[in-house]
Amino acid sequence: MIFLTEEYGVEFAQVYKYGPGKNGRGGKYYVYSGTIDSVEVPVSKDIMLINHTHPGGTAHPSEEDKRLLKNFYMSGSPQKSSAIIPIGKQTIKFTSKGIK
């Protein structure tokens, strides 16, 4: 994810779409690319946002990041947290309320 972001200068997001097995096993990972300051991912109860990058190194979730996690919850997803990979800094975990 870091390589992609450094190479292309845009945000990337990694999601997991649950599979048919027990607890969603057998699913697939997908990577989405966006712009310098955002990336759109599908929201549904069978998708989890694993992480996304911040090309500028911002080490906290934006209001949109927090809203996105809230939307996953509202869709029926069990996801409660995700991670941000701020380029040049440590990965951080966040919830719909802020940094975990």
Side-chain angles (χ1 to χ4, degrees), residues 25-94:
R25 288 191 176 120
K28 294 183 180 180
Y29 289 91
Y30 296 91
V31 174
Y32 293 87
S33 65
T35 65
I36 187 69
D37 61 358
S38 70
V39 59
E40 289 186 34
V41 296
V43 175
S44 74
K45 67 180 182 179
D46 64 345
I47 294 176
M48 287 185 71
L49 175 63
I50 304 301
N51 56 40
H52 72 283
T53 61
H54 279 181
T58 304
H60 60 80
S62 67
E63 290 303 314
E64 184 58 32
D65 293 336
K66 293 186 279 187
R67 190 173 19 261
L68 180 60
L69 275 189
K70 196 176 288 186
N71 289 342
F72 273 103
Y73 176 79
M74 304 265 302
S75 74
S77 171
Q79 183 169 13
K80 292 184 169 81
S81 67
S82 185
I84 294 171
I85 304 169
I87 302 308
K89 298 178 182 163
Q90 291 281 36
T91 297
I92 61 164
K93 290 195 176 201
F94 74 101

Side-chain angles (χ1 to χ4, degrees), residues 16 18-25:
Y16 179 77
Y18 293 108
K22 184 178 179 182
N23 296 322
R25 288 191 176 120

Side-chain angles (χ1 to χ4, degrees), residues 3 40 43 95 99:
F3 170 80
E40 289 186 34
V43 175
T95 68
I99 295 176

